[in-house]
Amino acid sequence: MTKKKVILLVVAALFAVSGLTALPSGNITGGVGCIVIAAVCAYFGLKKKSAGKENGNRTPAPAAASGSRVLDTIRTKAVGVTFNNEDGENRQDILSRMSGSEDITVEKYTYNGEPAAYVKWGDKVIGNLSAELAGDLARKYPKARYTAEILEISGGGYRRSGAI
């Protein structure tokens, strides 16, 4: 059971108790209102996901025939953008110089024996694909080359200038 469902069921129980204690004291409107809210919370807390939503409404990607081109769009965020690169350059500094119109690439590599993928701007690493996504892509499309584009550069709204 997910955290959201547990919270909804706890809220439903609290409203149910409040509604049942309000009724004998003569507060009919408040009691009925609490019981209705409890019923709605319990409904959503106990409701099962529909079959289409359990897998995120994604249809399985078709297997690629040898030499063919598979177009599958995956929207994701780069991870590891707060680390320094091997040459010591800070990835956040690199990102702060970018406008969002730059050409980026995805380069596959192996990290601790597992598939991984850098997100690069030129020869500079700006992040990685998540380990889960890199592994899934490597299993589905072991010989594939990836193309990428920047949809948004988020963050950067503040500068750290020491402890407060």
Side-chain angles (χ1 to χ4, degrees), residues 83-113:
F83 292 101
N84 290 337
N85 286 329
E86 290 179 3
D87 64 0
E89 187 171 19
N90 185 280
R91 294 177 183 175
Q92 292 289 297
D93 292 340
I94 298 168
L95 287 164
S96 70
R97 296 192 302 266
M98 297 177 71
S99 67
S101 62
E102 294 83 1
D103 291 328
I104 59 170
T105 58
V106 176
E107 180 182 307
K108 295 186 278 187
Y109 70 103
T110 302
Y111 180 76
N112 289 339

PDB file of all heavy atoms in Angstrom, residues 83-113:
ATOM      1  N   PHE A  83      27.608  16.879  -9.288  1.00  0.00           N
ATOM      2  CA  PHE A  83      28.962  16.366  -9.075  1.00  0.00           C
ATOM      3  C   PHE A  83      29.974  17.116  -9.919  1.00  0.00           C
ATOM      4  O   PHE A  83      29.632  17.794 -10.884  1.00  0.00           O
ATOM      5  CB  PHE A  83      29.026  14.874  -9.424  1.00  0.00           C
ATOM      6  CG  PHE A  83      28.246  14.018  -8.481  1.00  0.00           C
ATOM      7  CD1 PHE A  83      26.999  13.546  -8.834  1.00  0.00           C
ATOM      8  CD2 PHE A  83      28.753  13.682  -7.243  1.00  0.00           C
ATOM      9  CE1 PHE A  83      26.268  12.750  -7.967  1.00  0.00           C
ATOM     10  CE2 PHE A  83      28.040  12.894  -6.369  1.00  0.00           C
ATOM     11  CZ  PHE A  83      26.797  12.427  -6.731  1.00  0.00           C
ATOM     12  N   ASN A  84      31.235  16.960  -9.564  1.00  0.00           N
ATOM     13  CA  ASN A  84      32.336  17.465 -10.377  1.00  0.00           C
ATOM     14  C   ASN A  84      32.735  16.386 -11.370  1.00  0.00           C
ATOM     15  O   ASN A  84      32.621  15.185 -11.092  1.00  0.00           O
ATOM     16  CB  ASN A  84      33.542  17.819  -9.510  1.00  0.00           C
ATOM     17  CG  ASN A  84      33.287  19.044  -8.663  1.00  0.00           C
ATOM     18  OD1 ASN A  84      32.449  19.869  -8.982  1.00  0.00           O
ATOM     19  ND2 ASN A  84      34.002  19.152  -7.569  1.00  0.00           N
ATOM     20  N   ASN A  85      33.226  16.811 -12.528  1.00  0.00           N
ATOM     21  CA  ASN A  85      33.743  15.870 -13.506  1.00  0.00           C
ATOM     22  C   ASN A  85      35.134  15.409 -13.091  1.00  0.00           C
ATOM     23  O   ASN A  85      35.730  15.957 -12.157  1.00  0.00           O
ATOM     24  CB  ASN A  85      33.785  16.517 -14.893  1.00  0.00           C
ATOM     25  CG  ASN A  85      32.398  16.636 -15.477  1.00  0.00           C
ATOM     26  OD1 ASN A  85      31.522  15.823 -15.206  1.00  0.00           O
ATOM     27  ND2 ASN A  85      32.181  17.657 -16.292  1.00  0.00           N
ATOM     28  N   GLU A  86      35.656  14.408 -13.793  1.00  0.00           N
ATOM     29  CA  GLU A  86      36.974  13.862 -13.451  1.00  0.00           C
ATOM     30  C   GLU A  86      38.075  14.918 -13.517  1.00  0.00           C
ATOM     31  O   GLU A  86      39.049  14.848 -12.780  1.00  0.00           O
ATOM     32  CB  GLU A  86      37.309  12.680 -14.358  1.00  0.00           C
ATOM     33  CG  GLU A  86      36.451  11.463 -14.068  1.00  0.00           C
ATOM     34  CD  GLU A  86      36.763  10.294 -14.986  1.00  0.00           C
ATOM     35  OE1 GLU A  86      37.692  10.400 -15.814  1.00  0.00           O
ATOM     36  OE2 GLU A  86      36.071   9.277 -14.862  1.00  0.00           O
ATOM     37  N   ASP A  87      37.910  15.926 -14.393  1.00  0.00           N
ATOM     38  CA  ASP A  87      38.910  16.986 -14.494  1.00  0.00           C
ATOM     39  C   ASP A  87      38.729  18.068 -13.430  1.00  0.00           C
ATOM     40  O   ASP A  87      39.456  19.055 -13.402  1.00  0.00           O
ATOM     41  CB  ASP A  87      38.898  17.613 -15.888  1.00  0.00           C
ATOM     42  CG  ASP A  87      37.585  18.327 -16.218  1.00  0.00           C
ATOM     43  OD1 ASP A  87      36.664  18.351 -15.367  1.00  0.00           O
ATOM     44  OD2 ASP A  87      37.485  18.862 -17.337  1.00  0.00           O
ATOM     45  N   GLY A  88      37.726  17.881 -12.530  1.00  0.00           N
ATOM     46  CA  GLY A  88      37.491  18.827 -11.449  1.00  0.00           C
ATOM     47  C   GLY A  88      36.480  19.911 -11.768  1.00  0.00           C
ATOM     48  O   GLY A  88      36.072  20.658 -10.879  1.00  0.00           O
ATOM     49  N   GLU A  89      36.057  20.013 -13.035  1.00  0.00           N
ATOM     50  CA  GLU A  89      35.102  21.053 -13.403  1.00  0.00           C
ATOM     51  C   GLU A  89      33.720  20.706 -12.847  1.00  0.00           C
ATOM     52  O   GLU A  89      33.255  19.572 -12.934  1.00  0.00           O
ATOM     53  CB  GLU A  89      35.033  21.214 -14.918  1.00  0.00           C
ATOM     54  CG  GLU A  89      34.184  22.404 -15.332  1.00  0.00           C
ATOM     55  CD  GLU A  89      34.289  22.714 -16.817  1.00  0.00           C
ATOM     56  OE1 GLU A  89      34.709  21.847 -17.593  1.00  0.00           O
ATOM     57  OE2 GLU A  89      33.927  23.838 -17.191  1.00  0.00           O
ATOM     58  N   ASN A  90      33.047  21.686 -12.272  1.00  0.00           N
ATOM     59  CA  ASN A  90      31.744  21.500 -11.659  1.00  0.00           C
ATOM     60  C   ASN A  90      30.663  21.475 -12.731  1.00  0.00           C
ATOM     61  O   ASN A  90      30.576  22.372 -13.566  1.00  0.00           O
ATOM     62  CB  ASN A  90      31.488  22.623 -10.647  1.00  0.00           C
ATOM     63  CG  ASN A  90      30.201  22.433  -9.895  1.00  0.00           C
ATOM     64  OD1 ASN A  90      29.135  22.739 -10.406  1.00  0.00           O
ATOM     65  ND2 ASN A  90      30.310  21.918  -8.682  1.00  0.00           N
ATOM     66  N   ARG A  91      29.815  20.462 -12.688  1.00  0.00           N
ATOM     67  CA  ARG A  91      28.752  20.321 -13.688  1.00  0.00           C
ATOM     68  C   ARG A  91      27.745  21.458 -13.595  1.00  0.00           C
ATOM     69  O   ARG A  91      27.178  21.884 -14.608  1.00  0.00           O
ATOM     70  CB  ARG A  91      28.057  18.974 -13.543  1.00  0.00           C
ATOM     71  CG  ARG A  91      28.972  17.810 -13.874  1.00  0.00           C
ATOM     72  CD  ARG A  91      28.312  16.476 -13.658  1.00  0.00           C
ATOM     73  NE  ARG A  91      29.260  15.402 -13.932  1.00  0.00           N
ATOM     74  CZ  ARG A  91      29.005  14.128 -13.748  1.00  0.00           C
ATOM     75  NH1 ARG A  91      27.813  13.752 -13.290  1.00  0.00           N
ATOM     76  NH2 ARG A  91      29.911  13.215 -14.008  1.00  0.00           N
ATOM     77  N   GLN A  92      27.516  21.971 -12.406  1.00  0.00           N
ATOM     78  CA  GLN A  92      26.600  23.105 -12.256  1.00  0.00           C
ATOM     79  C   GLN A  92      27.141  24.334 -12.964  1.00  0.00           C
ATOM     80  O   GLN A  92      26.378  25.100 -13.562  1.00  0.00           O
ATOM     81  CB  GLN A  92      26.377  23.419 -10.771  1.00  0.00           C
ATOM     82  CG  GLN A  92      25.600  22.348 -10.026  1.00  0.00           C
ATOM     83  CD  GLN A  92      24.142  22.330 -10.431  1.00  0.00           C
ATOM     84  OE1 GLN A  92      23.433  23.306 -10.217  1.00  0.00           O
ATOM     85  NE2 GLN A  92      23.699  21.234 -11.017  1.00  0.00           N
ATOM     86  N   ASP A  93      28.462  24.532 -12.926  1.00  0.00           N
ATOM     87  CA  ASP A  93      29.071  25.658 -13.636  1.00  0.00           C
ATOM     88  C   ASP A  93      28.892  25.506 -15.146  1.00  0.00           C
ATOM     89  O   ASP A  93      28.629  26.482 -15.853  1.00  0.00           O
ATOM     90  CB  ASP A  93      30.552  25.783 -13.293  1.00  0.00           C
ATOM     91  CG  ASP A  93      30.789  26.201 -11.853  1.00  0.00           C
ATOM     92  OD1 ASP A  93      29.862  26.750 -11.223  1.00  0.00           O
ATOM     93  OD2 ASP A  93      31.911  25.968 -11.344  1.00  0.00           O
ATOM     94  N   ILE A  94      29.034  24.270 -15.633  1.00  0.00           N
ATOM     95  CA  ILE A  94      28.826  24.023 -17.061  1.00  0.00           C
ATOM     96  C   ILE A  94      27.382  24.336 -17.431  1.00  0.00           C
ATOM     97  O   ILE A  94      27.111  25.052 -18.408  1.00  0.00           O
ATOM     98  CB  ILE A  94      29.165  22.560 -17.417  1.00  0.00           C
ATOM     99  CG1 ILE A  94      30.639  22.266 -17.141  1.00  0.00           C
ATOM    100  CG2 ILE A  94      28.814  22.267 -18.873  1.00  0.00           C
ATOM    101  CD1 ILE A  94      30.999  20.788 -17.190  1.00  0.00           C
ATOM    102  N   LEU A  95      26.441  23.831 -16.640  1.00  0.00           N
ATOM    103  CA  LEU A  95      25.017  24.060 -16.922  1.00  0.00           C
ATOM    104  C   LEU A  95      24.653  25.541 -16.877  1.00  0.00           C
ATOM    105  O   LEU A  95      23.808  26.006 -17.643  1.00  0.00           O
ATOM    106  CB  LEU A  95      24.155  23.278 -15.933  1.00  0.00           C
ATOM    107  CG  LEU A  95      24.120  21.763 -16.154  1.00  0.00           C
ATOM    108  CD1 LEU A  95      23.571  21.052 -14.932  1.00  0.00           C
ATOM    109  CD2 LEU A  95      23.306  21.431 -17.383  1.00  0.00           C
ATOM    110  N   SER A  96      25.303  26.293 -15.998  1.00  0.00           N
ATOM    111  CA  SER A  96      24.980  27.719 -15.884  1.00  0.00           C
ATOM    112  C   SER A  96      25.386  28.498 -17.136  1.00  0.00           C
ATOM    113  O   SER A  96      24.871  29.580 -17.380  1.00  0.00           O
ATOM    114  CB  SER A  96      25.638  28.317 -14.640  1.00  0.00           C
ATOM    115  OG  SER A  96      27.039  28.395 -14.813  1.00  0.00           O
ATOM    116  N   ARG A  97      26.304  27.951 -17.918  1.00  0.00           N
ATOM    117  CA  ARG A  97      26.727  28.605 -19.164  1.00  0.00           C
ATOM    118  C   ARG A  97      25.864  28.203 -20.354  1.00  0.00           C
ATOM    119  O   ARG A  97      26.029  28.735 -21.444  1.00  0.00           O
ATOM    120  CB  ARG A  97      28.194  28.262 -19.466  1.00  0.00           C
ATOM    121  CG  ARG A  97      29.170  28.771 -18.437  1.00  0.00           C
ATOM    122  CD  ARG A  97      30.610  28.659 -18.913  1.00  0.00           C
ATOM    123  NE  ARG A  97      31.018  27.306 -19.263  1.00  0.00           N
ATOM    124  CZ  ARG A  97      31.626  26.445 -18.438  1.00  0.00           C
ATOM    125  NH1 ARG A  97      31.875  26.801 -17.192  1.00  0.00           N
ATOM    126  NH2 ARG A  97      31.987  25.254 -18.854  1.00  0.00           N
ATOM    127  N   MET A  98      24.957  27.263 -20.149  1.00  0.00           N
ATOM    128  CA  MET A  98      24.140  26.766 -21.254  1.00  0.00           C
ATOM    129  C   MET A  98      22.827  27.547 -21.352  1.00  0.00           C
ATOM    130  O   MET A  98      22.277  27.976 -20.350  1.00  0.00           O
ATOM    131  CB  MET A  98      23.853  25.275 -21.058  1.00  0.00           C
ATOM    132  CG  MET A  98      25.107  24.418 -21.080  1.00  0.00           C
ATOM    133  SD  MET A  98      24.784  22.674 -20.750  1.00  0.00           S
ATOM    134  CE  MET A  98      23.969  22.197 -22.262  1.00  0.00           C
ATOM    135  N   SER A  99      22.328  27.695 -22.588  1.00  0.00           N
ATOM    136  CA  SER A  99      21.066  28.405 -22.806  1.00  0.00           C
ATOM    137  C   SER A  99      19.898  27.444 -22.987  1.00  0.00           C
ATOM    138  O   SER A  99      18.748  27.838 -22.834  1.00  0.00           O
ATOM    139  CB  SER A  99      21.183  29.284 -24.049  1.00  0.00           C
ATOM    140  OG  SER A  99      21.315  28.466 -25.208  1.00  0.00           O
ATOM    141  N   GLY A 100      20.173  26.209 -23.343  1.00  0.00           N
ATOM    142  CA  GLY A 100      19.136  25.230 -23.600  1.00  0.00           C
ATOM    143  C   GLY A 100      19.003  24.883 -25.066  1.00  0.00           C
ATOM    144  O   GLY A 100      18.317  23.939 -25.438  1.00  0.00           O
ATOM    145  N   SER A 101      19.673  25.639 -25.929  1.00  0.00           N
ATOM    146  CA  SER A 101      19.592  25.363 -27.368  1.00  0.00           C
ATOM    147  C   SER A 101      20.796  24.550 -27.867  1.00  0.00           C
ATOM    148  O   SER A 101      20.888  24.266 -29.055  1.00  0.00           O
ATOM    149  CB  SER A 101      19.510  26.685 -28.140  1.00  0.00           C
ATOM    150  OG  SER A 101      20.687  27.447 -27.905  1.00  0.00           O
ATOM    151  N   GLU A 102      21.674  24.163 -26.958  1.00  0.00           N
ATOM    152  CA  GLU A 102      22.875  23.431 -27.347  1.00  0.00           C
ATOM    153  C   GLU A 102      22.545  21.995 -27.773  1.00  0.00           C
ATOM    154  O   GLU A 102      21.558  21.425 -27.346  1.00  0.00           O
ATOM    155  CB  GLU A 102      23.871  23.361 -26.167  1.00  0.00           C
ATOM    156  CG  GLU A 102      24.445  24.691 -25.763  1.00  0.00           C
ATOM    157  CD  GLU A 102      23.532  25.488 -24.827  1.00  0.00           C
ATOM    158  OE1 GLU A 102      22.440  25.000 -24.467  1.00  0.00           O
ATOM    159  OE2 GLU A 102      23.913  26.603 -24.456  1.00  0.00           O
ATOM    160  N   ASP A 103      23.407  21.456 -28.601  1.00  0.00           N
ATOM    161  CA  ASP A 103      23.303  20.053 -28.975  1.00  0.00           C
ATOM    162  C   ASP A 103      23.945  19.221 -27.877  1.00  0.00           C
ATOM    163  O   ASP A 103      25.066  19.508 -27.448  1.00  0.00           O
ATOM    164  CB  ASP A 103      24.026  19.780 -30.299  1.00  0.00           C
ATOM    165  CG  ASP A 103      23.319  20.415 -31.485  1.00  0.00           C
ATOM    166  OD1 ASP A 103      22.077  20.508 -31.438  1.00  0.00           O
ATOM    167  OD2 ASP A 103      24.012  20.819 -32.433  1.00  0.00           O
ATOM    168  N   ILE A 104      23.238  18.207 -27.420  1.00  0.00           N
ATOM    169  CA  ILE A 104      23.782  17.313 -26.407  1.00  0.00           C
ATOM    170  C   ILE A 104      23.777  15.891 -26.950  1.00  0.00           C
ATOM    171  O   ILE A 104      23.065  15.586 -27.910  1.00  0.00           O
ATOM    172  CB  ILE A 104      23.008  17.382 -25.074  1.00  0.00           C
ATOM    173  CG1 ILE A 104      21.536  17.008 -25.269  1.00  0.00           C
ATOM    174  CG2 ILE A 104      23.150  18.740 -24.425  1.00  0.00           C
ATOM    175  CD1 ILE A 104      20.774  16.822 -23.978  1.00  0.00           C
ATOM    176  N   THR A 105      24.580  15.048 -26.349  1.00  0.00           N
ATOM    177  CA  THR A 105      24.665  13.658 -26.767  1.00  0.00           C
ATOM    178  C   THR A 105      24.537  12.752 -25.558  1.00  0.00           C
ATOM    179  O   THR A 105      24.718  13.180 -24.419  1.00  0.00           O
ATOM    180  CB  THR A 105      26.013  13.375 -27.466  1.00  0.00           C
ATOM    181  OG1 THR A 105      27.076  13.700 -26.574  1.00  0.00           O
ATOM    182  CG2 THR A 105      26.153  14.170 -28.748  1.00  0.00           C
ATOM    183  N   VAL A 106      24.224  11.501 -25.826  1.00  0.00           N
ATOM    184  CA  VAL A 106      24.177  10.475 -24.788  1.00  0.00           C
ATOM    185  C   VAL A 106      25.228   9.438 -25.173  1.00  0.00           C
ATOM    186  O   VAL A 106      25.197   8.907 -26.285  1.00  0.00           O
ATOM    187  CB  VAL A 106      22.777   9.833 -24.682  1.00  0.00           C
ATOM    188  CG1 VAL A 106      22.779   8.709 -23.661  1.00  0.00           C
ATOM    189  CG2 VAL A 106      21.743  10.884 -24.324  1.00  0.00           C
ATOM    190  N   GLU A 107      26.151   9.189 -24.261  1.00  0.00           N
ATOM    191  CA  GLU A 107      27.251   8.266 -24.527  1.00  0.00           C
ATOM    192  C   GLU A 107      27.192   7.104 -23.538  1.00  0.00           C
ATOM    193  O   GLU A 107      27.260   7.301 -22.332  1.00  0.00           O
ATOM    194  CB  GLU A 107      28.582   9.011 -24.379  1.00  0.00           C
ATOM    195  CG  GLU A 107      29.792   8.169 -24.624  1.00  0.00           C
ATOM    196  CD  GLU A 107      31.068   8.982 -24.418  1.00  0.00           C
ATOM    197  OE1 GLU A 107      31.196  10.053 -25.036  1.00  0.00           O
ATOM    198  OE2 GLU A 107      31.918   8.539 -23.619  1.00  0.00           O
ATOM    199  N   LYS A 108      27.068   5.889 -24.081  1.00  0.00           N
ATOM    200  CA  LYS A 108      26.983   4.704 -23.227  1.00  0.00           C
ATOM    201  C   LYS A 108      28.358   4.339 -22.678  1.00  0.00           C
ATOM    202  O   LYS A 108      29.371   4.523 -23.350  1.00  0.00           O
ATOM    203  CB  LYS A 108      26.424   3.525 -24.022  1.00  0.00           C
ATOM    204  CG  LYS A 108      24.996   3.730 -24.473  1.00  0.00           C
ATOM    205  CD  LYS A 108      24.417   2.502 -25.123  1.00  0.00           C
ATOM    206  CE  LYS A 108      24.824   2.398 -26.566  1.00  0.00           C
ATOM    207  NZ  LYS A 108      24.154   1.323 -27.288  1.00  0.00           N
ATOM    208  N   TYR A 109      28.369   3.835 -21.442  1.00  0.00           N
ATOM    209  CA  TYR A 109      29.586   3.311 -20.825  1.00  0.00           C
ATOM    210  C   TYR A 109      29.173   2.319 -19.752  1.00  0.00           C
ATOM    211  O   TYR A 109      27.992   2.078 -19.534  1.00  0.00           O
ATOM    212  CB  TYR A 109      30.462   4.435 -20.260  1.00  0.00           C
ATOM    213  CG  TYR A 109      29.911   5.142 -19.036  1.00  0.00           C
ATOM    214  CD1 TYR A 109      30.414   4.864 -17.769  1.00  0.00           C
ATOM    215  CD2 TYR A 109      28.901   6.098 -19.138  1.00  0.00           C
ATOM    216  CE1 TYR A 109      29.920   5.513 -16.647  1.00  0.00           C
ATOM    217  CE2 TYR A 109      28.407   6.749 -18.015  1.00  0.00           C
ATOM    218  CZ  TYR A 109      28.920   6.448 -16.779  1.00  0.00           C
ATOM    219  OH  TYR A 109      28.440   7.082 -15.661  1.00  0.00           O
ATOM    220  N   THR A 110      30.146   1.700 -19.107  1.00  0.00           N
ATOM    221  CA  THR A 110      29.868   0.736 -18.041  1.00  0.00           C
ATOM    222  C   THR A 110      30.411   1.278 -16.737  1.00  0.00           C
ATOM    223  O   THR A 110      31.544   1.767 -16.681  1.00  0.00           O
ATOM    224  CB  THR A 110      30.527  -0.620 -18.359  1.00  0.00           C
ATOM    225  OG1 THR A 110      30.034  -1.068 -19.616  1.00  0.00           O
ATOM    226  CG2 THR A 110      30.207  -1.651 -17.304  1.00  0.00           C
ATOM    227  N   TYR A 111      29.595   1.212 -15.682  1.00  0.00           N
ATOM    228  CA  TYR A 111      29.995   1.671 -14.353  1.00  0.00           C
ATOM    229  C   TYR A 111      29.746   0.538 -13.367  1.00  0.00           C
ATOM    230  O   TYR A 111      28.611   0.076 -13.240  1.00  0.00           O
ATOM    231  CB  TYR A 111      29.205   2.920 -13.960  1.00  0.00           C
ATOM    232  CG  TYR A 111      29.555   3.466 -12.599  1.00  0.00           C
ATOM    233  CD1 TYR A 111      30.732   4.178 -12.402  1.00  0.00           C
ATOM    234  CD2 TYR A 111      28.721   3.256 -11.512  1.00  0.00           C
ATOM    235  CE1 TYR A 111      31.062   4.674 -11.160  1.00  0.00           C
ATOM    236  CE2 TYR A 111      29.047   3.757 -10.263  1.00  0.00           C
ATOM    237  CZ  TYR A 111      30.222   4.464 -10.101  1.00  0.00           C
ATOM    238  OH  TYR A 111      30.542   4.945  -8.858  1.00  0.00           O
ATOM    239  N   ASN A 112      30.786   0.083 -12.708  1.00  0.00           N
ATOM    240  CA  ASN A 112      30.692  -1.047 -11.759  1.00  0.00           C
ATOM    241  C   ASN A 112      29.996  -2.254 -12.386  1.00  0.00           C
ATOM    242  O   ASN A 112      29.160  -2.899 -11.762  1.00  0.00           O
ATOM    243  CB  ASN A 112      29.960  -0.638 -10.479  1.00  0.00           C
ATOM    244  CG  ASN A 112      30.782   0.293  -9.616  1.00  0.00           C
ATOM    245  OD1 ASN A 112      31.998   0.352  -9.727  1.00  0.00           O
ATOM    246  ND2 ASN A 112      30.120   1.016  -8.743  1.00  0.00           N
ATOM    247  N   GLY A 113      30.310  -2.525 -13.643  1.00  0.00           N
ATOM    248  CA  GLY A 113      29.765  -3.680 -14.335  1.00  0.00           C
ATOM    249  C   GLY A 113      28.344  -3.522 -14.828  1.00  0.00           C
ATOM    250  O   GLY A 113      27.769  -4.451 -15.390  1.00  0.00           O
TER     251      GLY A 113
END
